[in-house]
Amino acid sequence: MTQLNETHDPSLTSWVLSANEVSCDFPIQNLPFAVFRRRESDEKFRGGVAIGNQIVDLSAAQRSGVFSDLAERAAQACSQTTLNEYMKMGTTAWSALRLALSRALREGAEAQNKLKNCLVPQADVEFTVPCKIGDYTDFYTSIHHATTVGSLFRPDNPLLPNYKWVPIGYHGRASSIGISGQNFRRPMGQTKAPDALEPNLGPCKRLDYELEVGIYIGSGNDMGEPISIDNAEEHVFGLCLFNDWSARDIQAWEYQPLGPFLSKSFASTVSPWIITTEALAPFRSAWTRDSEDPQPLPYLDSEKNRAKGAYDIQLEVLLESEKMRSENTPAVKLSESSFIYSYWTVGQMVAHHTINGCNLEPGDFLGSGTQSGPNHKEAGSLLELSMGGKQPLTLQNGETRTFLQDGDAIIMRGRCEKEGVKAIGFGEVVGTVLPAKE
Ligand code: CA
């Protein structure tokens, strides 16, 4: 696990003045990665790092000669249209570029003269999915979500007996993962009302979001060579916000016996910025397993994982309806939660994923599963907030929701705050529901 170093020093400030504002998600202690180009241009997409309201264009920065040695080679890898090659380089290269960027962006840095010409305002760019995602695996690590949803689908048997032993997951669809700003059609699908004799085809009536943390794999493992829990973190490049849209009525009809299929594969949205594991180092915290619960099998347990395995990331979900947009009223908050409630850690997910010899590859993506907290108001989906559609939510402007309506935009945000540490943020992920194509 990354040790704290000079790049985490809370007293550091940048010559990019917007980075020094207290509420800024991207101070010099963060330095997250994205792939971008100027909006509506025919420029090549390339890697960039956020600083304040600007982006360091890593292709331009590399050409400007501000980096040397390993940091220079790392910046070169980031000049490509995807970050896969950089992600593959591993922790030493990631740290070298982070340190070089931190030194070059500090107040008083000599590199300012060269680097100031490599900045692009975030307001002027469009983003794309930052790497080629070969495979996407969706976990189910919130026991609060699993218990509530289980009780809706199976009132007599909410939490299946394997849950406390196995980090449950399934193989998701990578091709329909889109970048923040994604608009997608309400999915069509087979559904069957409980009292109906036969299913029918129609637009999803119970469309939902899932508040998740996305996990990008950096360096992978060879087939047949599991990653041990103590090395797992070295294979994780960073985290993002992830909205894993779900069609609950399609899911209810199709999910047994093999799990979700078309209810999950029509769209999933990632935030543009990947917050690196190194940037998140100050926000690691102890992971505990209730003494009443089964303790993890040895391959899922380690001192390191217990001491610092969890991430303290505050998460929130907001909804902006078509009415709010037309009346120019702000989006309303639906819930707040934290990644700290996760029953399984990122290290456990990686160790479990590879224990059978499965090879993870640079750019592979893991969803954490919906991150619901222990209280009802901390639920990470409408399915939970509306008690399976039985209790509509009344929004501040008088509108009500059980599930999403056409035109609804869902906005998710994440932020890490801790005493004595410079706060960092994840930016946001936004996606909008369009009418079904019937
Ligand atoms: Ca999910």
Side-chain angles (χ1 to χ4, degrees):
M1 238 161 263
T2 317
Q3 300 299 306
L4 295 192
N5 55 47
E6 66 173 77
T7 66
H8 301 102
D9 181 348
S11 68
L12 291 180
T13 53
S14 174
W15 51 262
V16 180
L17 298 179
S18 57
N20 305 330
E21 288 168 18
V22 178
S23 61
C24 180
D25 272 354
F26 310 120
I28 192 167
Q29 291 82 357
N30 194 347
L31 305 176
F33 287 76
V35 169
F36 77 100
R37 69 177 175 194
R38 281 186 182 76
R39 192 179 298 126
E40 285 159 23
S41 73
D42 53 7
E43 291 178 358
K44 191 168 84 87
F45 278 105
R46 69 269 188 194
V49 162
I51 180 78
N53 59 15
Q54 303 290 309
I55 298 175
V56 180
D57 177 339
L58 289 170
S59 171
Q62 190 263 329
R63 279 179 277 123
S64 79
V66 289
F67 304 125
S68 57
D69 305 322
L70 184 56
E72 209 243 330
R73 294 199 296 282
Q76 173 103 52
C78 293
S79 306
Q80 302 188 20
T81 53
T82 66
L83 293 177
N84 295 69
E85 193 180 310
Y86 176 55
M87 294 162 114
K88 186 181 177 177
M89 289 175 84
T91 52
T92 314
W94 306 338
S95 287
L97 183 54
R98 177 178 164 86
L99 181 61
L101 278 163
S102 172
R103 288 181 177 168
L105 287 165
R106 279 174 210 177
E107 215 167 291
E110 255 180 57
Q112 179 176 353
N113 270 336
K114 284 181 183 166
L115 210 53
K116 70 176 189 222
N117 302 316
C118 306
L119 297 182
V120 182
Q122 285 172 34
D124 295 349
V125 310
E126 58 188 0
F127 297 99
T128 188
V129 176
C131 61
K132 169 77 185 150
I133 298 174
D135 268 305
Y136 155 43
T137 306
D138 194 19
F139 281 91
Y140 197 52
T141 67
S142 163
I143 195 168
H144 309 295
H145 173 74
T147 306
T148 310
V149 171
S151 68
L152 295 168
F153 282 82
R154 295 175 305 274
D156 51 332
N157 190 15
L159 199 67
L160 294 172
N162 57 4
Y163 189 87
K164 293 183 175 180
W165 294 96
V166 181
I168 299 292
Y170 70 97
H171 288 284
R173 181 87 201 158
S175 68
S176 49
I177 296 179
I179 195 70
S180 183
Q182 184 177 31
N183 302 328
F184 64 93
R185 286 186 185 280
R186 175 181 298 273
M188 297 287 290
Q190 262 197 44
T191 58
K192 185 181 152 312
D195 50 355
L197 290 174
E198 290 181 355
N200 65 349
L201 179 71
C204 165
K205 292 190 187 72
R206 291 158 71 93
L207 184 61
D208 203 354
Y209 58 83
E210 291 192 330
L211 171 64
E212 301 199 24
V213 173
I215 299 143
Y216 285 99
I217 298 300
S219 51
N221 59 306
D222 290 333
M223 214 170 145
E225 300 292 333
I227 297 172
S228 77
I229 185 146
D230 273 337
N231 292 330
E233 301 277 343
E234 288 168 35
H235 294 266
V236 177
F237 176 64
L239 309 186
C240 71
L241 300 168
F242 183 49
N243 184 348
D244 195 23
W245 308 92
S246 295
R248 303 299 182 190
D249 44 355
I250 300 172
Q251 184 180 356
W253 172 232
E254 75 175 4
Y255 88 105
Q256 286 176 321
L258 283 186
F261 179 32
L262 301 183
S263 55
K264 300 282 191 169
S265 61
F266 56 93
S268 306
T269 316
V270 290
S271 59
W273 296 108
I274 307 176
I275 316 301
T276 63
T277 32
E278 189 167 353
L280 290 163
F283 307 99
R284 303 306 296 267
S285 60
W287 173 84
T288 50
R289 173 58 52 86
D290 197 321
S291 58
E292 308 280 295
D293 279 4
Q295 299 304 299
L297 292 179
Y299 79 99
L300 295 173
D301 205 359
S302 78
E303 252 176 68
K304 224 156 86 174
N305 187 61
R306 290 202 182 239
K308 292 262 179 203
Y311 284 92
D312 195 356
I313 304 169
Q314 300 304 308
L315 303 165
E316 61 176 25
V317 186
L318 300 95
L319 183 148
E320 185 192 64
S321 67
E322 214 156 73
K323 185 164 188 272
M324 292 170 201
R325 269 195 301 281
S326 68
E327 292 174 354
N328 220 2
T329 54
V332 297
K333 193 181 290 188
L334 298 179
S335 70
E336 288 178 342
S337 185
S338 170
F339 194 29
I340 201 137
Y341 300 128
S342 185
Y343 195 77
W344 299 101
T345 65
V346 171
Q348 288 167 326
M349 290 183 232
V350 170
H352 182 67
H353 204 311
T354 59
I355 190 65
N356 66 345
C358 172
N359 50 323
L360 295 178
E361 300 197 320
D364 278 1
F365 189 81
L366 315 180
S368 65
T370 309
Q371 292 302 305
S372 300
N375 299 308
H376 174 69
K377 63 180 175 44
E378 296 167 307
S381 68
L382 283 174
L383 180 69
E384 294 158 90
L385 288 172
S386 73
M387 307 291 278
K390 290 190 193 81
Q391 283 180 15
L393 277 69
T394 303
L395 310 177
Q396 272 106 310
N397 69 347
E399 286 185 274
T400 60
R401 286 292 180 280
T402 47
F403 292 95
L404 294 171
Q405 295 190 0
D406 292 346
D408 283 353
I410 289 292
I411 303 152
M412 295 175 177
R413 299 192 183 124
R415 200 164 158 87
C416 300
E417 291 178 349
K418 189 177 166 184
E419 184 86 26
V421 176
K422 183 71 188 171
I424 62 173
F426 278 67
E428 60 181 31
V429 59
V430 187
T432 306
V433 181
L434 303 175
K437 182 170 185 157
E438 289 190 60

